[in-house]
Amino acid sequence: MTNAKIILRSILTCSAILLLTVRCSKDDLNQINPNAVTPSSFWKTASDARKGINGAYSPFTNIWYYTRFEIFASDYRDDVVNGFNTSERTAVGYFSGTSESNATFWVWSAIYQCISRSNEVIANVPNIDMDEGLRDNIVGEAHFIRAFNYFNLLNNWLNVPLITTPITDIEEPNLINQADPAEVWAQIESDLTMAQNLLPDTWAGQDLGRATSGAASGLLGKALLYQNKFSEAKAAFAKIMDGRYMLMEDYAHNFTEEFENNAESLFEIQLISDGNGAWGADAPGRGKGSAYQPDIAPAGFTNQNGMRINQWLLDLFMDEKTINDQVDPRTFTTLFFDSDVTTEYRGKTLASRTYEGKTYAEAFPNGNTFIFANKWLDWEFNGHTGSQDGGWHGAGNNLRMLRYADILLMFAEAEFMLNGSSSEALDAINEVRARVDMPAFSSITMQDIEDERIKELTLERTRYFDILRWGKVVERLVNNPDLKSESAGTSAYKPGREYIAIPQNEIDGNPNFKQNEGY
Amino acid sequence: MILERLTKTSLIALMLLSIATVGLQAQSRTVSGTVIGGDDLPLIGVNVLLVGTNSGTVTDIDGTYTIEVPDNSAAISFSYTGYQNQEIAVAERSTIDVVLMESSNLLDEVVVVGYSTQRRSDLTGAVGQINSEDIDKYTFSDASLALQGRVAGVSVQAQGGAPGADAVVAIRGTGTLSDAGPLYVIDGMLTGSMSSLNPSDIATISVLKDASASAIYGSRAANGVIIITTKKGARGEVKVELDASAGTQSVINTYDWADARQYADIVNRADDNDGVPRSPANDSEFNPNFTSDLYGESLRNAPIINTNLRFSGGSENLLYSLSLNYFDQEGIVQFSDFKRMTARANTTFTKGRFRLENTLGVTRTINNPNPYFNKERNLLPTIRLKDDTGEWSTSDIPNVPGAPTLGSFYGQGTIRNELGMAALEDRTVTRNTLLANIGASYEIIEGLVYKLNLGAELFDNNNYQFTPAHPVFVAAGNNDFADLRETNTRYLSQLIEHTLNFKRIMGAHSFDFLAGYTAQKTNSRTLGVEARRFPTNSIRIASAAEEISNTPAQDLTSVIQSAFGRISYTFDERYLFTATLRRDGSSLFKDGLRWGTFPSMAIGWNISNEDFMSGINGITNLKLRASYGEIGSNNVGIYTTDPQLNLFSEYIFGTSPGRVPGYSITNGVNPNITWETTKTTNVGVEFSSMNNRLNVTMDYFIKKSEDVLVGLRLPLYTGFGNPIPFNTASVDNIGFEFLASFADRVGELDFNVSANFTVVNNEVTALGDATPIIQGSFTSNNINSTKTDVGQPISSFFGYIVEGIYQTDDEAAAANDQAGNPQAGDFKFKDVDGDGDVDGDDRTYIGNPTPNLEYAFNVGLGYKGFDINLFFNGVSGNEILNGTKYRGYFDFNGNYLADALNAWTPTNSGSDIPRNTQVDPGFNRRMSTFYLENGAYFRLRNAQIGYTIPESVVEKARIGSARIYLSATNIFTITEYTGYYPEVGRNSRGGSRRIFNSGVDEGAYPVPRDMRIGLQVTF
């Protein structure tokens, strides 16, 4: 070959290669995610507002929150529940929780998901051009959700960061400080006052289950009572004691799927049993039923073998008889215990029964003597033999977070603290007692109110927070290690451990964070 | 679009180029002769090639050849595997007889490197290579296992022994906090796995270990690069090779689980200790007829067969090879099996300056896994696996009114019949894969070659699972209706590469320049369906379901575009220099962070070629080399940098409750992430002696991985629960590799021995703002076992130290345990910080799941017709978490180990097993040294004994050659580990990253022992 040929051939080849190479587009490197909506295109329409507020409710059904793990941060910590076994998730129940425990991490996490999503709604929805009434309602719901969750935070952790704007609006979110609890209380009051005004009294049809004005008032009263602001609390409760709520005739109807969102109910965690399972949230087709029932069910019926009930509670129930000289009907709804006693109530004969209608002797032929829980287990509804019928996430029984009986008792307490055993206080507590055929009080003490709350509200996520606000954690729990005899006693208690440890993750991620006392 | 257009234009260009090829015309005559080996025997099949051309022939049965030569200036080259090449000038001779000397000289070995090949003597980087001779000696179920123990610095760990399971391949330690593995280049196609390959199709596996070798692959090279070439045909008649083997596999070690009587005794004692009434099934109503042996029934001896058939051959212009493989492995665990069928067609066409290479591999795999084996929460031994009617069941309580509940009769615990579930459930993963590559090259002028390489990987994957309606599933907590989950994924990866390679020798100077441009685009699109409530269990198709509950779908695309170059220069075969540079742009990263440059440089010195070495006969080769380079790992999920709204934050509302859609931002995003960078310094020595019979290679490396992505959990109050990736971690791997081989012949005994070992120290040197990573769960009861923190190896075991057992309640109370309330018979945990209590501060680092020493030996012997090959390997310096101990001693959800009977009691106070309790107030179950066992092992991994039938016999049968062999794996293993097998891989529980579950063994699918008999016949 001649040199010329070589050169020609080289040039030809090289230019062909160059041509091919240069034509490759850089645009190919910009790949847009075709699977999801981007946040920048959101918050434009009424439909966006609806989806946004629904998303703020959604963490309530996260397995980390009310569908399961919340119970380890509430009822498992009280003096009624004696949890079997030691474990990382139940550790907080016997003061052994650490900043790394799951109960600490998970519940906190889900709570702040509710809060951050509410903050987005409150910041963005008012700018959407849409029906004003609906817009107010949605913003009101967000205020309610935010307050509800800060209430849980304060009572569990006390020293928490107060965030009320979208996190992206905060310049250095990892440097914010924990708020003074008083500030958080103030925010809760302000949110609930807003919610009270923005929300409707009722929701109908497919909106049933959303927060209402009455729920906001009730929670506001509760928040005020927890701060010992008795007269303001009384006023808040009085506002909704106007006939819009009433006690269900049958006490047991507050704990079954059949009577969800009933006349007594102010706010419920909405659950469904539709066959969907799988762990987790915010993913397609995840379960939206509850899975905490195995943690409270009698031994041997579920795989969790969670806990038993301390004897003193049954003793308390047995200490007093109905007007017909029978056992308080609430005993049978609340507990499963080894006794043949029965009570005639609303045309039914109540006896100690659990899943599949079993008697204690049938359930424990070998002579177990433990007392177990029965509330929420809903084994009678819709052909169920047990609330775990549908497997994990199976139970569709709504969890009542605030009901009118509680409002009446809190009203009575506020009034009692203001004016003693007044007729207003007596009327309120006696209304609750009358529903279960218990004789009316003619005068009351604080102990009577406490006892009534226990009998009415056990396993309704209130007992621990009552003894906390009354300053009785040491007296009731720490000094009675037998109440936690099935796990590790109470020796791990240190002053300050009334509250849960701030999750290690927050301490590690924010140099300004301080761990709670006692950890 | 872009790629397709590119492909089309490139093809046109190639056609034009090929038209320009020129044929050669010349005056010719013939030369003939005989080729013999050092033992004066004729050598059959020696390649005889006219130097500078592709024309040639092979020697026949008498070692003779005839070749046409153009003129007297021609030269002939003689090459034969295992012998030194010779080149002889023809001059005026017409007969040329040749004696070839045997060679164990690795220096002439051609090593596959990125986009090219090099003589080993010219290498400046650390490259390990194994050839088909090494692979074909043994039988492997998965191609990656062929690498195990063969290349210093490469760790291959099987993920248990499940048929079809991938192995974990780590090169020079782990420099990332993710599961990212090496980059695989199969016949030029870049991909993520080699499991679609038939092991016996492999011609070479080359592992690029240091940056000098791997930087040419830029942002995907940091976890190492494995280049695989598959077998091509050789010039000559059609050769038919058949290799068929069949055998059986068996379990190596088993656990001693309690039988019904032992179980009842253990639980009765626990109930007594706990003050709980005994369960009827264990006590008053114990029925010796109601027993089960779940693991005895679950394990079996299982057949394995493998058949390879290969046709190959070639003419002057065309080389071809077609191979077919059928591999069928039943699992040693019931209801698991795996089948692989592959077909591979490779052709090489050469005409003058033009060369076209095609490789095409088609693979179909059918995997039926058993995901239920040895799972937590299984059947109690007091319950039969099947009821009177022969149906799988979970209870022997008669179904009569007033019958006791499961729990009150059997005691607490979940009762799942895992064998019944595995039997009833239908699970199949079917994948059809096509891996194809077309490489066309043209020599433009002498030494300058342009190559266009087009690659495609395509698969469709069907993942099907049907759970019938059956009481066994209801008892396990599933729904009482049938459930179908089926997902189809279509995957396509397209690659285009242009390279220009210029090689020239000018006197003492030798140059090799490479420049290239490449683009690769991958897309995977998934559509699935979840359906339930079927008319009967026998209809298993989604359209028959009453309800479609979900239709998961996804579409993922990524693109990478790159330019690269390499300069190699050698002076006088003494001084070597190599520099490479690659620039990558990736769609995984945002604009501005997208482009990365990855340089490397290396020098080598062939000391043995220096004049002053010429008098030293003992050393035939001595080379020093050193390299430094920076390589990347684009270890990020597709679209990770895009903020997005979650569309599935639903809630329930309504008088008739129903789901309503909710949106939310659930994931925080860091758009500013980029690739991880690994800076590798490598120093190596190669040494040969005794006329190259002894070869030694040693390498010392410092691998510093920086900008490693670590999930930073933002404070949870941000509302983001996900760990957000930041490039803030660093990991160091510092190690030493040694490889030696020796081969010789004594009389009629041929033998070769090779040994290698690798020492690697792994340490996390920074995490940035990220908190230590806690993972390694081995139970669904949330007990974590590993912690990854600065100053420690990745995924170190972290927990309490067991010091013994409390002998008295007073002693237990005095320990002031904050996590439990121990009494006599419970574990005594060490007060590590000496502050008078036992609490979270007393946890410490108690083990490392990663061996710091891995070693292997290979011995090959040949005597007359017999050959024996033995391959030993071992690891040490690691611990394994034997998670079965958790279930066997503590967990009430299932059976106990028989050894739980030997627990501490006041009269058996010398026991090191804590007292039987189901309540466990002392929290004996917490993560502690109790679970850890020494993970070191030494084993005879593979062995093969073969006999080649003498030619005199074979000839009568009109076949070329025949060999029969016995092959076996895991013949013996020396270990203290009490689990199934000390090769455990990474547990899959909890967390998306399995690396943090390294060495956590929940009773993974046991690695089997495999014994086979095989026959190889060549026609």
Side-chain angles (χ1 to χ4, degrees):
Chain A
M1 271 193 296
T2 65
N3 279 341
K5 263 187 185 168
I6 293 171
I7 291 163
L8 182 67
R9 213 180 266 178
S10 310
I11 289 170
L12 270 174
T13 315
C14 291
S15 36
I17 291 161
L18 271 173
L19 198 77
L20 296 170
T21 311
V22 169
R23 280 183 61 188
C24 212
S25 163
K26 285 196 169 177
D27 288 346
D28 235 23
L29 293 176
N30 283 318
Q31 291 292 328
I32 309 295
N33 186 353
N35 303 295
V37 178
T38 59
S40 56
S41 61
F42 198 59
W43 302 119
K44 305 279 193 238
T45 65
S47 161
D48 292 349
R50 291 297 288 259
K51 284 172 179 148
I53 192 65
N54 294 345
Y57 282 96
S58 182
F60 283 138
T61 54
N62 191 325
I63 192 75
W64 287 2
Y65 205 3
Y66 282 111
T67 51
R68 188 171 180 206
F69 285 105
E70 179 274 345
I71 198 164
F72 299 117
S74 57
D75 288 343
Y76 259 66
R77 295 165 72 199
D78 71 13
D79 50 352
V80 169
V81 172
N82 195 343
F84 289 121
N85 309 318
T86 46
S87 89
E88 205 185 351
R89 63 175 176 269
T90 59
V92 70
Y94 45 89
F95 301 109
S96 221
T98 68
S99 57
E100 293 160 12
S101 295
N102 285 328
T104 314
F105 174 90
W106 286 344
V107 179
W108 169 289
S109 173
I111 285 177
Y112 271 108
Q113 284 178 17
C114 281
I115 290 172
S116 62
R117 295 177 195 183
S118 304
N119 287 338
E120 295 279 346
V121 172
I122 292 165
N124 290 301
V125 170
N127 305 324
I128 297 177
D129 182 18
M130 62 182 284
D131 176 83
E132 258 177 63
L134 181 60
R135 191 170 66 196
D136 284 352
N137 291 165
I138 288 172
V139 174
E141 287 175 84
H143 280 291
F144 176 85
I145 294 169
R146 187 163 78 184
F148 181 99
N149 283 286
Y150 273 117
F151 182 86
N152 280 349
L153 278 171
L154 264 188
N155 285 294
N156 278 301
W157 284 275
L158 192 64
N159 301 301
V160 301
L162 179 62
I163 300 160
T164 54
T165 59
I167 199 73
T168 44
D169 292 357
I170 300 174
E171 205 154 298
E172 291 185 292
N174 60 330
L175 293 178
I176 59 175
N177 289 296
Q178 287 149 294
D180 181 341
E183 263 182 76
V184 185
W185 280 121
Q187 184 64 45
I188 291 170
E189 289 178 31
S190 127
D191 272 337
L192 290 171
T193 308
M194 295 278 285
Q196 206 173 219
N197 298 330
L198 293 169
L199 286 170
D201 285 344
T202 56
W203 292 95
Q206 277 316 102
D207 286 319
L208 189 67
R210 294 181 183 276
T212 59
S213 174
S217 302
L219 189 59
L220 177 60
K222 189 172 176 179
L224 293 164
L225 180 69
Y226 271 51
Q227 301 171 77
N228 296 333
K229 295 179 175 176
F230 299 117
S231 64
E232 289 167 85
K234 181 188 164 189
F237 293 131
K239 197 168 184 175
I240 49 172
M241 289 163 65
D242 57 357
R244 72 176 97 165
Y245 297 104
M246 57 187 220
L247 298 182
M248 295 297 285
E249 194 191 356
D250 185 338
Y251 173 73
H253 289 170
N254 288 302
F255 313 105
T256 66
E257 199 165 350
E258 191 173 0
F259 295 96
E260 289 175 343
N261 301 311
N262 62 32
E264 186 172 336
S265 180
L266 278 77
F267 187 67
E268 304 183 359
I269 305 300
Q270 305 291 318
L271 301 167
I272 194 171
S273 169
D274 60 2
N276 284 8
W279 205 248
D282 298 316
R286 290 305 159 101
K288 295 271 174 197
S290 62
Y292 69 84
Q293 281 89 349
D295 296 308
I296 59 171
F301 286 87
T302 73
N303 54 25
Q304 288 301 321
N305 192 45
M307 57 92 162
R308 66 179 178 88
I309 300 285
N310 283 311
Q311 179 71 37
W312 69 266
L313 178 63
L314 182 62
D315 294 346
L316 184 71
F317 271 120
M318 293 297 173
D319 206 30
E320 213 190 359
K321 293 286 188 282
T322 65
I323 48 176
N324 306 314
D325 199 29
Q326 289 178 308
V327 173
D328 187 334
R330 293 175 296 194
T331 318
F332 303 102
T333 302
T334 310
L335 303 177
F336 181 54
F337 53 101
D338 187 12
S339 169
D340 295 332
V341 295
T342 57
T343 291
E344 297 299 319
Y345 179 64
R346 305 292 175 256
K348 282 186 282 192
T349 304
L350 304 184
S352 178
R353 294 282 186 277
T354 190
Y355 287 126
E356 297 158 341
K358 281 190 160 46
T359 65
Y360 199 90
E362 284 168 347
F364 301 106
N366 262 28
N368 204 332
T369 53
F370 286 153
I371 302 158
F372 292 106
N374 196 42
K375 198 180 261 185
W376 299 120
L377 299 184
D378 199 27
W379 43 267
E380 292 178 302
F381 171 70
N382 207 12
H384 291 189
T385 57
S387 64
Q388 92 287 19
D389 271 6
W392 279 112
H393 298 233
N397 191 2
N398 284 359
L399 182 62
R400 279 66 163 181
M401 294 312 303
L402 194 58
R403 61 187 175 89
Y404 190 52
D406 192 6
I407 299 295
L408 289 170
L409 291 177
M410 288 191 288
F411 174 87
E413 184 181 339
E415 169 63 13
F416 178 83
M417 296 307 287
L418 290 169
N419 303 314
S421 201
S422 71
S423 63
E424 271 188 289
L426 287 171
D427 286 350
I429 193 170
N430 285 336
E431 189 178 345
V432 172
R433 287 171 64 82
R435 186 251 301 265
V436 286
D437 297 341
M438 298 305 286
F441 283 128
S442 52
S443 76
I444 48 169
T445 63
M446 191 56 216
Q447 188 63 46
D448 291 327
I449 294 171
E450 182 178 344
D451 289 350
E452 204 59 41
R453 288 189 66 79
I454 294 165
K455 289 191 251 187
E456 180 71 22
L457 297 167
T458 283
L459 293 173
E460 293 184 56
R461 318 311 206 244
T462 58
R463 172 64 183 165
Y464 180 79
F465 305 108
D466 282 342
I467 57 175
L468 179 67
R469 70 189 169 95
W470 291 329
K472 288 179 143 186
V473 172
V474 171
E475 176 197 330
R476 283 296 311 161
L477 267 166
V478 180
N479 295 342
N480 293 299
D482 277 0
L483 299 176
K484 299 292 177 188
S485 59
E486 299 295 345
S487 48
T490 55
S491 64
Y493 173 81
K494 292 190 181 86
R497 291 207 174 188
E498 287 86 349
Y499 293 95
I500 306 176
I502 303 292
Q504 193 59 38
N505 186 72
E506 316 298 83
I507 305 271
D508 291 341
N510 183 332
N512 295 330
F513 260 43
K514 290 190 189 68
Q515 185 50 275
N516 279 339
E517 197 191 338
Y519 291 96
Chain B
M1 263 303 282
I2 307 297
L3 271 174
E4 278 134 34
R5 205 164 60 219
L6 257 176
T7 313
K8 212 177 279 174
T9 39
S10 308
L11 278 173
I12 293 166
L14 258 174
M15 284 164 67
L16 289 172
L17 286 171
S18 60
I19 292 164
T21 49
V22 189
L24 285 166
Q25 299 283 338
Q27 196 73 32
S28 62
R29 63 186 178 91
T30 61
V31 171
S32 59
T34 308
V35 183
I36 56 171
D39 48 6
D40 291 341
L41 292 171
L43 294 174
I44 309 155
V46 175
N47 278 309
V48 183
L49 209 65
L50 199 59
V51 174
T53 74
N54 288 311
S55 64
T57 180
V58 291
T59 56
D60 65 12
I61 195 103
D62 304 316
T64 60
Y65 71 92
T66 305
I67 188 168
E68 274 191 24
V69 295
D71 51 46
N72 290 352
S73 68
I76 306 173
S77 84
F78 299 87
S79 61
Y80 193 55
T81 309
Y83 289 77
Q84 294 177 20
N85 289 355
Q86 267 192 49
E87 232 178 77
I88 293 173
V90 175
E92 279 156 10
R93 287 180 287 181
S94 58
T95 305
I96 300 175
D97 294 333
V98 179
V99 181
L100 286 186
M101 296 310 293
E102 276 180 78
S103 160
S104 52
N105 189 352
L106 292 168
L107 300 178
D108 291 329
E109 184 191 17
V110 170
V111 176
V112 180
V113 296
Y115 301 99
S116 183
T117 57
Q118 271 185 321
R119 283 198 308 162
R120 185 167 282 282
S121 56
D122 292 341
L123 270 184
T124 53
V127 179
Q129 180 165 308
I130 59 172
N131 299 320
S132 57
E133 301 96 81
D134 304 314
I135 299 168
D136 292 345
K137 279 175 194 165
Y138 304 116
T139 47
F140 299 103
S141 51
D142 186 82
S144 60
L145 294 176
L147 260 177
Q148 194 171 49
R150 306 314 300 249
V151 180
V154 179
S155 161
V156 179
Q157 204 181 18
Q159 298 266 42
D166 272 358
V168 180
V169 179
I171 296 171
R172 291 188 161 179
T174 304
T176 176
L177 299 176
S178 74
D179 294 338
L183 172 72
Y184 294 86
V185 183
I186 301 176
D187 289 326
M189 180 63 194
L190 279 67
T191 177
S193 158
M194 64 192 283
S195 61
S196 72
L197 285 178
N198 167 17
S200 57
D201 280 345
I202 296 171
T204 63
I205 306 179
S206 178
V207 183
L208 313 186
K209 296 189 286 192
D210 71 344
S212 163
S214 65
I216 196 84
Y217 289 104
S219 69
R220 289 179 285 182
N223 299 308
V225 179
I226 295 177
I227 305 181
I228 297 142
T229 59
T230 56
K231 286 177 184 165
K232 312 283 190 300
R235 207 160 278 145
E237 291 295 297
V238 180
K239 192 169 154 194
V240 181
E241 294 159 280
L242 174 71
D243 182 350
S245 65
T248 183
Q249 315 156 82
S250 55
V251 68
I252 296 168
N253 187 35
T254 54
Y255 287 97
D256 185 13
W257 292 98
D259 62 22
R261 186 63 262 165
Q262 291 168 323
Y263 170 83
D265 291 344
I266 292 164
V267 180
N268 286 338
R269 198 198 281 159
D271 285 343
D272 296 350
N273 284 341
D274 296 338
V276 170
R278 294 179 174 193
S279 298
N282 298 331
D283 192 35
S284 55
E285 299 189 41
F286 179 81
N287 183 340
N289 297 320
F290 290 168
T291 64
S292 61
D293 176 10
L294 182 63
Y295 294 103
E297 301 282 330
S298 296
L299 294 166
R300 62 181 176 188
N301 289 337
I304 183 166
I305 60 170
N306 188 37
T307 310
N308 280 304
L309 182 62
R310 200 160 94 92
F311 305 87
S312 63
S315 63
E316 189 183 339
N317 297 118
L318 188 69
L319 304 175
Y320 58 88
S321 163
L322 171 68
S323 80
L324 304 169
N325 169 248
Y326 177 74
F327 174 74
D328 189 343
Q329 183 180 14
E330 300 264 308
I332 56 169
V333 172
Q334 293 274 10
F335 311 115
S336 63
D337 59 78
F338 177 78
K339 290 182 185 66
R340 184 184 60 227
M341 284 142 273
T342 68
R344 171 164 288 278
N346 291 349
T347 55
T348 306
F349 173 76
T350 43
K351 176 97 172 118
R353 293 166 179 270
F354 180 70
R355 180 180 175 88
L356 182 68
E357 286 173 289
N358 268 315
T359 63
L360 176 70
V362 183
T363 305
R364 176 174 172 82
T365 56
I366 302 168
N367 189 9
N368 295 305
N370 176 349
Y372 293 108
F373 176 71
N374 209 20
K375 282 277 145 59
E376 191 173 21
R377 301 179 173 170
N378 54 30
L379 200 69
L380 305 179
T382 46
I383 303 172
R384 292 176 299 170
L385 284 159
K386 289 181 175 177
D387 64 16
D388 290 330
T389 66
E391 191 57 42
W392 298 103
S393 75
T394 54
S395 166
D396 288 313
I397 301 170
N399 188 13
V400 295
T405 61
L406 277 176
S408 60
F409 188 69
Y410 289 114
Q412 59 174 322
T414 307
I415 298 175
R416 294 185 193 185
N417 186 335
E418 65 178 32
L419 189 58
M421 291 163 80
L424 293 163
E425 196 174 80
D426 210 358
R427 304 157 309 274
T428 307
V429 182
T430 311
R431 178 177 288 204
N432 300 319
T433 307
L434 179 90
L435 192 66
N437 210 76
I438 301 170
S441 49
Y442 180 70
E443 190 171 6
I444 301 162
I445 55 171
E446 194 191 338
L448 178 67
V449 176
Y450 163 74
K451 183 174 181 186
L452 171 69
N453 184 45
L454 301 173
E457 182 182 16
L458 172 71
F459 68 72
D460 74 75
N461 191 86
N462 174 270
N463 194 333
Y464 160 82
Q465 178 186 325
F466 183 87
T467 310
H470 192 283
V472 160
F473 291 101
V474 179
N478 287 32
N479 291 311
D480 56 0
F481 44 73
D483 205 325
L484 172 79
R485 286 156 198 272
E486 187 164 359
T487 308
N488 286 309
T489 301
R490 194 195 66 195
Y491 175 89
L492 174 64
S493 172
Q494 297 161 276
L495 174 77
I496 180 164
E497 284 171 351
H498 307 275
T499 49
L500 264 181
N501 193 187
F502 181 66
K503 289 186 189 181
R504 172 108 1 140
I505 300 169
M506 298 166 82
H509 308 275
S510 163
F511 302 93
D512 186 344
F513 299 113
L514 175 81
Y517 170 82
T518 169
Q520 187 167 13
K521 181 176 191 171
T522 64
N523 171 264
S524 98
R525 192 171 170 92
T526 300
L527 176 62
V529 66
E530 291 172 13
R532 57 199 183 196
R533 300 181 208 277
F534 288 78
T536 79
N537 280 339
S538 57
I539 296 181
R540 302 187 168 190
I541 189 140
S543 55
E546 281 175 36
E547 190 187 345
I548 304 289
S549 56
N550 199 7
T551 50
Q554 201 173 42
D555 192 306
L556 306 170
T557 303
S558 70
V559 174
I560 184 165
Q561 295 173 354
S562 325
F564 55 86
R566 177 171 58 213
I567 299 168
S568 300
Y569 168 71
T570 306
F571 177 72
D572 200 22
E573 300 210 325
R574 284 185 288 160
Y575 307 109
L576 316 170
F577 170 81
T578 308
T580 64
L581 190 71
R582 178 159 177 139
R583 188 160 163 78
D584 277 337
S586 168
S587 70
L588 299 175
F589 308 116
K590 283 278 165 255
D591 211 4
L593 293 164
R594 173 166 291 165
W595 288 91
T597 306
F598 303 92
S600 83
M601 217 173 81
I603 49 173
W605 181 22
N606 274 325
I607 301 173
S608 48
N609 290 348
E610 293 285 355
D611 290 344
F612 60 79
M613 293 291 289
S614 60
I616 303 168
N617 292 327
I619 297 168
T620 40
N621 173 44
L622 179 62
K623 181 162 84 177
L624 287 180
R625 50 184 165 71
S627 73
Y628 173 81
E630 296 178 7
I631 44 183
S633 170
N634 62 348
N635 184 16
V636 170
I638 297 171
Y639 313 130
T640 305
T641 55
D642 287 347
Q644 54 176 285
L645 276 168
N646 187 312
L647 313 182
F648 306 104
S649 299
E650 300 169 316
Y651 196 61
I652 313 300
F653 289 117
T655 41
S656 51
R659 291 166 184 258
V660 292
Y663 287 12
S664 67
I665 301 170
T666 47
N667 284 341
V669 161
N670 175 9
N672 299 320
I673 49 176
T674 186
W675 57 86
E676 302 172 349
T677 302
T678 294
K679 298 176 177 172
T680 303
T681 308
N682 191 90
V683 182
V685 183
E686 291 168 18
F687 169 81
S688 302
S689 181
M690 303 171 73
N691 203 20
N692 292 332
R693 285 198 290 274
L694 174 69
N695 293 284
V696 177
T697 306
M698 289 180 279
D699 278 282
Y700 173 77
F701 61 88
I702 302 170
K703 209 175 115 181
K704 287 183 172 291
S705 302
E706 297 170 359
D707 300 337
V708 172
L709 286 163
V710 59
L712 174 62
R713 285 200 177 274
L714 290 186
L716 297 162
Y717 58 68
T718 56
F720 302 137
N722 67 313
I724 297 165
F726 280 85
N727 292 94
T728 57
S730 302
V731 181
D732 281 4
N733 285 284
I734 298 174
F736 178 74
E737 296 166 0
F738 175 90
L739 172 70
S741 64
F742 182 75
D744 207 345
R745 176 178 200 133
V746 181
E748 287 194 56
L749 178 71
D750 282 309
F751 71 94
N752 62 76
V753 186
S754 69
N756 69 71
F757 71 83
T758 311
V759 182
V760 185
N761 277 310
N762 173 273
E763 186 186 325
V764 178
T765 54
L767 284 178
D769 290 335
T771 52
I773 300 145
I774 313 278
Q775 214 179 287
S777 177
F778 51 93
T779 154
S780 50
N781 288 321
N782 307 311
I783 305 179
N784 290 312
S785 64
T786 70
K787 184 170 177 178
T788 300
D789 200 358
V790 175
Q792 298 292 329
I794 293 170
S795 184
S796 295
F797 290 121
F798 185 75
Y800 293 87
I801 297 170
V802 173
E803 279 192 307
I805 287 186
Y806 294 119
Q807 298 299 330
T808 65
D809 290 349
D810 289 345
E811 189 195 349
N816 199 11
D817 195 320
Q818 300 295 302
N821 191 16
Q823 58 194 71
D826 286 326
F827 271 142
K828 179 180 181 183
F829 296 104
K830 188 174 181 183
D831 178 11
V832 172
D833 63 3
D835 65 351
D837 63 12
V838 174
D839 61 10
D841 299 337
D842 295 308
R843 292 173 299 172
T844 183
Y845 293 97
I846 52 180
N848 181 359
T850 312
N852 52 29
L853 171 66
E854 300 202 24
Y855 56 95
F857 307 99
N858 193 76
V859 180
L861 299 169
Y863 181 75
K864 295 191 172 166
F866 290 95
D867 58 275
I868 299 177
N869 283 285
L870 303 171
F871 173 59
F872 302 87
N873 83 322
V875 304
S876 74
N878 63 312
E879 277 78 29
I880 299 174
L881 186 147
N882 187 349
T884 305
K885 283 186 161 178
Y886 171 84
R887 298 199 290 123
Y889 294 109
F890 303 132
D891 191 33
F892 49 76
N893 284 300
N895 199 1
Y896 288 88
L897 290 170
D899 191 43
L901 268 180
N902 302 322
W904 187 95
T905 63
T907 55
N908 183 28
S909 58
S911 174
D912 53 3
I913 298 160
R915 70 195 181 98
N916 297 126
T917 165
Q918 295 199 322
V919 169
D920 193 17
F923 206 5
N924 294 324
R925 286 165 296 151
R926 72 185 83 171
M927 175 56 193
S928 73
T929 50
F930 176 70
Y931 299 111
L932 298 185
E933 298 185 24
N934 186 345
Y937 66 79
F938 174 70
R939 65 180 172 185
L940 176 52
R941 174 82 179 87
N942 298 95
Q944 195 170 96
I945 301 173
Y947 176 67
T948 306
I949 297 164
E951 269 177 40
S952 51
V953 179
V954 170
E955 268 177 24
K956 284 175 196 153
R958 293 186 159 199
I959 48 180
S961 69
R963 175 176 175 266
I964 53 172
Y965 61 91
L966 286 169
S967 183
T969 63
N970 304 327
I971 296 92
F972 74 82
T973 306
I974 301 168
T975 179
E976 291 172 21
Y977 186 60
T978 61
Y980 283 121
Y981 201 67
E983 189 174 8
V984 300
R986 296 168 175 174
N987 195 20
S988 58
R989 185 189 287 279
S992 54
R993 304 205 153 173
R994 297 179 69 166
I995 184 172
F996 303 119
N997 297 345
S998 297
V1000 176
D1001 180 18
E1002 266 196 74
Y1005 201 112
V1007 172
R1009 175 177 296 135
D1010 163 2
M1011 312 278 250
R1012 290 192 230 181
I1013 183 162
L1015 175 69
Q1016 288 168 330
V1017 185
T1018 311
F1019 300 96

